[in-house]
Amino acid sequence: MASASIGIQGIEALHYYVRDLDRTRRFFVDKLDFVEVGASGPQLEHEGRQRSAAFRAGDALFVIHQPVGEGGRAWRYLRKHPEGVGTVVFDVDNIDRAFALLDERGGTFITDIQRFTDDGGTLAMFSITTPFGDTTFRFMQRRGYRSLFPGSVAAPAAAQAGNRFGFERIDHLTSNFQTMKPALLWLEHVLGFERFWHVEFHTDDVARRIDAQGSGLRSVVMWDPPSGVKFANNEPYRPNFKASQINVFHEEHRGDGVQHIALTVPHIVSAVRGLRARGVEFMPTPKAYYDALPARLVSLGVGALHEPVAELEENQILVDGDGPGRYLFQIFLKDSAGLYAAPEAGPFFYEIIQRHGDSGFGAGNFRALFESIEQSQRTEGAG
Ligand SMILES: [Fe+2]
């Protein structure tokens, strides 16, 4: 029987730790066209020993922290890891009930419920540890509270424009583990998440074939049905455990953690074209992928796409499908280490996704990309 819901409404924000806040500000504002909506006030910076700024587009909110001196949370995280997701913040409808349920189910509290007031209302929150490496979860109940977070100040010229690419919300978070079972059990028994119905995610035959090239992985998606919050979870797959991209992430991140975050857009072709024009770099897609795409769409039974394949190919956008008229488009940005040409920026990356009736995660693209790489290697070998 499923556990009682702890009342998650959605993901309120992600907290992310960086060494260079100005570099990340340029990425969010100048590249992605997020709006800077707030920052840490002087007292918070002094007490927390970190400088923070918040960036929003649609419902996606990122709070970025850079250490000031030593000893703060961002400093402690960055002493162990490259840059990455430090905290996932969830809105809950009843903070006392969420706390009580988590307490009963074995949640480990970093803080008790902390309560704040401002001239608009109240904010209550608490944090717990997780099996997601050094990423913590925070639960927050906001009742008219105006500030972004306690101790924050509004950005001086908070423009209301921005978000020209139409980012809507965080679609899912994907995390990598050396072994994911503890996290899956914790998500189920402590948080009350369930296995997403669409988990026949990577079939074993694909995983084994990818293994031959050293990139094996296995995935399970867990979700919170009332809110729709989804966590995809990966672990390396035998026999080439060490060469698996999941193990490589673990080495680079120096532990388990969040690998990527997917943001939804309503029009991916124009968004990607615009982002490329601003200098955003994406993972490349082999030409053979598009050569094989028409036949693949037939075998998926998807039917006609509303975007011309030529435009998808021009922008290197990937397609997956689930049946008649049900498909999704997705693309992955280069990882942060690649975007900033700085290894300590880490292996984390962003995904951009446009859904058209397909609630999966693009599992078919693992096979399609693998086969197109094989095809390219054969062609090059023959040439
Ligand atoms: Fe994803």
Side-chain angles (χ1 to χ4, degrees):
M1 203 184 88
S3 309
S5 164
I6 56 173
I8 291 173
Q9 311 282 292
I11 295 175
E12 201 261 356
L14 289 171
H15 288 228
Y16 197 93
Y17 297 128
V18 302
R19 289 186 171 73
D20 185 344
L21 181 56
D22 289 331
R23 179 173 75 181
T24 304
R25 173 182 283 113
R26 289 194 295 275
F27 173 73
F28 273 108
V29 175
D30 299 343
K31 306 282 191 192
L32 303 190
D33 203 30
F34 275 52
V35 173
E36 184 165 354
V37 290
S40 46
Q43 195 187 342
L44 184 63
E45 286 179 12
H46 177 71
E47 289 170 1
R49 283 167 277 176
Q50 52 198 34
R51 196 156 58 85
S52 314
F55 304 91
R56 180 187 289 286
D59 288 334
L61 176 65
F62 291 84
V63 185
I64 312 297
H65 308 274
Q66 177 194 313
V68 175
E70 296 187 352
R73 162 85 168 124
W75 179 84
R76 297 196 312 276
Y77 182 98
L78 292 171
R79 193 171 52 158
K80 295 163 80 173
H81 305 286
E83 299 183 357
V85 175
T87 306
V88 183
V89 185
F90 301 93
D91 282 316
V92 291
D93 59 357
N94 183 327
I95 197 83
D96 298 291
R97 184 167 180 277
F99 188 95
L101 279 170
L102 289 169
D103 198 16
E104 192 183 301
R105 296 183 196 158
T108 306
F109 297 89
I110 301 166
T111 65
D112 282 354
I113 300 174
Q114 302 167 296
R115 297 177 196 274
F116 304 88
T117 54
D118 71 3
D119 58 355
T122 62
L123 180 79
M125 62 186 191
F126 66 86
S127 298
I128 62 173
T129 59
T130 75
F132 292 67
D134 285 301
T135 300
T136 61
F137 285 2
R138 176 181 286 176
F139 299 86
M140 189 178 267
Q141 176 194 301
R142 189 184 286 272
R143 294 273 157 80
Y145 191 83
R146 284 178 222 260
S147 310
L148 268 178
F149 49 87
S152 70
V153 292
Q160 291 310 307
N163 199 16
R164 72 185 65 190
F165 305 116
F167 292 112
E168 295 167 319
R169 67 185 160 277
I170 293 167
D171 184 87
H172 61 272
L173 264 87
T174 298
S175 304
N176 289 346
F177 303 89
Q178 289 289 73
T179 177
M180 66 181 162
K181 196 71 177 180
L184 301 181
L185 290 169
W186 184 85
L187 284 168
E188 182 185 347
H189 293 281
V190 180
L191 250 60
F193 278 37
E194 297 173 18
R195 267 191 186 231
F196 190 56
W197 62 271
H198 202 292
V199 296
E200 53 305 352
F201 196 91
H202 310 136
T203 59
D204 281 359
D205 78 297
V206 178
R208 287 206 186 88
R209 292 175 58 203
I210 293 171
D211 269 344
Q213 302 292 311
S215 322
L217 78 160
R218 199 148 54 174
S219 298
V220 171
V221 179
M222 301 291 290
W223 76 316
D224 175 53
S227 65
V229 166
K230 294 188 189 78
F231 281 74
N233 307 283
N234 301 322
E235 67 177 19
Y237 195 76
R238 70 179 190 279
N240 294 337
F241 180 97
K242 264 187 150 170
S244 159
Q245 58 161 288
I246 307 308
N247 187 55
V248 171
F249 172 94
H250 184 93
E251 296 288 330
E252 289 174 355
H253 184 68
R254 300 191 289 274
D256 295 339
V258 180
Q259 177 208 39
H260 76 262
I261 289 162
L263 297 167
T264 59
V265 292
H267 304 293
I268 197 167
V269 171
S270 57
V272 170
R273 190 177 282 136
L275 288 161
R276 285 188 189 282
R278 287 183 147 208
V280 175
E281 294 180 273
F282 296 86
M283 312 251 198
T285 308
K287 186 179 182 309
Y289 175 92
Y290 295 98
D291 296 341
L293 184 57
R296 196 173 137 241
L297 291 174
V298 170
S299 69
L300 289 169
V302 165
L305 304 174
H306 70 274
E307 297 286 2
V309 169
E311 297 215 357
L312 300 172
E313 179 170 2
E314 180 197 325
N315 291 287
Q316 308 243 298
I317 293 163
L318 305 172
V319 189
D320 201 17
D322 192 25
R326 296 197 303 274
Y327 52 91
L328 61 79
F329 299 129
Q330 64 185 165
I331 192 166
F332 302 98
L333 271 69
K334 274 193 178 173
D335 70 10
S336 299
L339 286 176
Y340 298 127
E344 278 303 297
F348 173 88
F349 59 89
Y350 293 92
E351 172 185 349
I352 298 174
I353 186 166
Q354 179 185 347
R355 293 190 180 279
H356 196 279
D358 182 344
S359 54
F361 297 85
N365 279 319
F366 283 88
R367 183 192 293 268
L369 284 168
F370 178 73
E371 286 173 351
S372 61
I373 290 164
E374 264 190 339
Q375 179 59 40
S376 309
Q377 285 167 346
R378 270 201 298 275
T379 311
E380 281 159 25

